């Protein structure tokens, strides 16, 4: 039996991790610390009996210390973060506060309880990072490895790179037992509808323009959130203390191809399931039209990275990691989840 503190566990990846971990480790106790900002949703983890939701801020170091002591926490899995690049461009302060100051608060609390008071009691601080800390690749560049220099280009990526450095420093300076994973673009259920896959789908269903930045050829590697959760589990089980691991999905695609695939699938769904036209009459496919006509190319955002791709051979070799969910095969299942969970996503998208 283990006791875990999962920060940001009512968000997209954190919430999926709660659902992933619980049936596989039924004796474990999960304390979820989440501020329930716009992207957090308590209903995401509703019904998970092992999970206790504590509404609070990771910047509250005293609160984190009390949770570590009161629940005898041995493991922190740190998901809590501001993550949307567009929002970081418009308002970077929140990203510095949550991603940098918040991570430092957690590290201070962990040091105080596990090292200063606990005399080095068994523990693990696992930090969830992103491939965006590496910056942008050229069309023919090899994928980023764990030893690639960090060269972030957005305020979001810079804040995550700063938190990566803090986690490493607390290991090197104080001996805190840490691991870090850097993932590629995630997709799957419970993703807030500001990210590409759910945004495209929900714009289409509501008959709104589907925006694509620039020429749409910016490329990303896509990782199903379940594969990401499996990778984190392997990091906790087999990862070497102080090490970082890239977790990739193995499917690198341009944004425009993602949007086209979603539009094509919507057209097929409306043809095969006529009842969808009653639910979503504003969708072009409800009237026999092509959903793709909603696609609108808009001015590129500042500092838009052209390409991300990670070399995850270290995780494959040392942890036994490999993704199982290929993007195009899992996309229909993801779309079906949103159609079946309309009450969950009926939230503002701005």
């Amino acid at each position: 039996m283990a006791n875990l503190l999962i920060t940001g566990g009512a968000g997209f990846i954190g919430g999926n991790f709660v659902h992933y971990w619980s049936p596989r480790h039924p004796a474990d106790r999960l304390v979820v610390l989440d501020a329930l900002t716009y992207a957090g949703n308590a209903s995401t983890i509703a019904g998970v009996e092992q999970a206790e939701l504590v509404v609070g801020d990771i910047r509250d170091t005293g609160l984190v210390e009390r949770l570590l002591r009161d629940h005898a926490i041995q493991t922190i899995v740190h998901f809590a973060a501001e993550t949307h690049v567009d929002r970081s461009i418009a308002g970077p302060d929140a990203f510095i506060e949550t991603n940098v100051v918040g991570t430092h608060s957690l590290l201070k609390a962990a040091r105080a309880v596990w090292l200063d008071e606990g005399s080095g009691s068994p523990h693990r601080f696992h930090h969830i990072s992103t491939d965006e800390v590496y910056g942008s690749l050229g069309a023919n560049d090899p994928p980023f490895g764990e030893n690639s220099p960090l060269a972030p280009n957005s305020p979001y990526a810079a804040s995550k790179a700063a938190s990566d450095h803090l986690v490493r420093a607390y290991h090197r300076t104080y001996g805190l037992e840490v691991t870090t994973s850097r993932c590629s673009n995630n997709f799957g259920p419970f993703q807030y509808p500001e990210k590409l896959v759910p945004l495209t789908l929900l714009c289409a269903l509501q008959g709104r323009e589907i925006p694509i930045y620039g020429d749409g050829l910016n490329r990303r590697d896509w990782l199903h959130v379940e594969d990401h959760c499996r990778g984190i589990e392997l990091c906790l089980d087999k990862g070497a203390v102080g090490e970082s691991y890239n977790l990739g999905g193995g499917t690198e695609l341009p944004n425009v191809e993602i949007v086209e695939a979603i539009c094509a699938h919507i057209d097929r769904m409306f043809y095969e399931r006529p009842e969808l036209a009653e639910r979503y009459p504003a969708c072009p496919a409800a009237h026999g039209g092509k959903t793709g006509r909603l696609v609108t190319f808009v001015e590129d955002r500042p500092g838009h990275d052209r390409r991300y791709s990670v070399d995850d051979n270290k995780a494959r070799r040392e942890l036994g990691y490999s993704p199982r969910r290929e993007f195009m095969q899992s996309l229909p299942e993801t779309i079906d989840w949103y159609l079946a969970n309309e009450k969950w996503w009926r939230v503002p998208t701005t």
Side-chain angles (χ1 to χ4, degrees):
M1 175 178 175
N3 299 330
L4 286 71
L5 176 64
I6 302 173
T7 73
F12 167 44
I13 304 175
N16 274 281
F17 183 78
V18 169
H19 284 282
Y20 176 88
W21 190 271
S22 297
R24 292 166 177 82
H25 305 270
D28 289 0
R29 295 176 57 197
L30 309 179
V31 179
V32 173
L33 177 60
D34 200 296
L36 295 183
T37 61
Y38 76 94
N41 190 331
S43 69
T44 295
I45 57 171
V48 181
E49 294 183 0
Q50 290 165 252
E52 175 186 344
L53 175 62
V54 177
V55 180
D57 195 319
I58 59 173
R59 294 173 297 173
D60 186 343
T61 309
L63 170 62
V64 177
E65 288 185 9
R66 288 194 298 274
L67 293 175
L68 296 180
R69 293 190 193 101
D70 293 349
H71 296 274
I73 300 293
Q74 300 116 342
T75 300
I76 295 175
V77 189
H78 177 33
F79 294 95
E82 296 284 347
T83 64
H84 192 43
V85 174
D86 288 10
R87 289 179 184 266
S88 81
I89 294 170
D93 289 4
F95 289 73
I96 302 303
E97 285 294 322
T98 299
N99 300 354
V100 183
V101 178
T103 299
H104 190 219
S105 170
L106 290 170
L107 291 165
K108 288 191 295 181
R111 178 192 173 198
V113 175
W114 289 340
L115 301 183
D116 297 346
E117 299 173 14
S119 301
S121 56
H123 63 271
R124 176 66 64 89
F125 187 111
H126 184 73
H127 176 56
I128 313 300
S129 188
T130 169
D131 58 1
E132 296 191 43
V133 299
Y134 295 122
S136 185
L137 288 169
N140 299 314
D141 290 338
F144 291 118
E146 287 84 357
N147 293 323
S148 297
L150 305 192
N153 291 320
S154 70
Y156 159 62
S159 69
K160 291 298 290 185
S163 65
D164 287 13
H165 286 312
L166 282 169
V167 171
R168 182 180 187 275
Y170 264 69
H171 168 65
R172 299 282 293 188
T173 302
Y174 303 113
L176 196 69
E177 296 187 1
V178 308
T179 43
T180 294
S181 55
R182 297 184 179 125
C183 65
S184 50
N185 274 36
N186 279 221
F187 72 103
F190 297 114
Q191 188 170 31
Y192 186 79
E194 64 185 357
K195 300 298 178 74
L196 181 63
V197 171
L199 178 65
T200 298
L201 170 62
L202 302 190
C203 283
L205 294 178
Q206 297 166 6
R208 297 187 285 124
E209 290 185 349
I210 300 172
I212 299 181
Y213 281 126
D215 60 8
L217 297 180
N218 302 73
R219 299 180 67 88
R220 304 290 183 260
D221 177 49
W222 289 90
L223 172 67
H224 193 279
V225 67
E226 182 180 287
D227 283 329
H228 186 189
C229 292
R230 183 179 302 106
I232 294 167
E233 180 184 39
L234 288 167
C235 287
L236 291 170
D237 183 39
K238 300 179 180 180
V241 170
E243 290 297 313
S244 297
Y245 297 92
N246 288 339
L247 301 176
T251 303
E252 189 179 325
L253 296 167
N255 290 343
V256 68
E257 190 169 330
I258 302 297
V259 172
E260 289 172 349
I262 294 171
C263 290
H265 185 69
I266 291 171
D267 291 344
R268 287 194 298 272
M269 285 195 312
F270 274 72
Y271 177 77
E272 295 168 358
R273 298 167 56 184
E275 72 276 9
L276 290 175
E278 296 181 12
R279 290 175 61 187
Y280 306 106
C283 181
H287 312 285
K290 295 293 186 182
T291 305
R293 71 173 179 80
L294 296 173
V295 171
T296 304
F297 290 88
V298 299
E299 182 179 355
D300 209 356
R301 73 183 178 206
H304 196 182
D305 291 333
R306 192 63 170 173
R307 175 176 168 243
Y308 302 140
S309 184
V310 294
D311 180 344
D312 58 14
N313 281 315
K314 179 179 177 181
R316 291 173 182 265
R317 182 176 65 252
E318 297 184 13
L319 309 180
Y321 168 77
S322 63
R324 301 174 184 175
R325 306 288 296 272
E326 195 275 331
F327 181 86
M328 289 300 181
Q329 293 178 356
S330 297
L331 182 63
E333 177 186 308
T334 300
I335 292 173
D336 286 344
W337 184 90
Y338 281 93
L339 290 173
N341 290 273
E342 185 172 346
K343 289 183 179 179
W344 184 90
W345 57 257
R346 280 288 183 185
V347 291
T349 56
T350 58

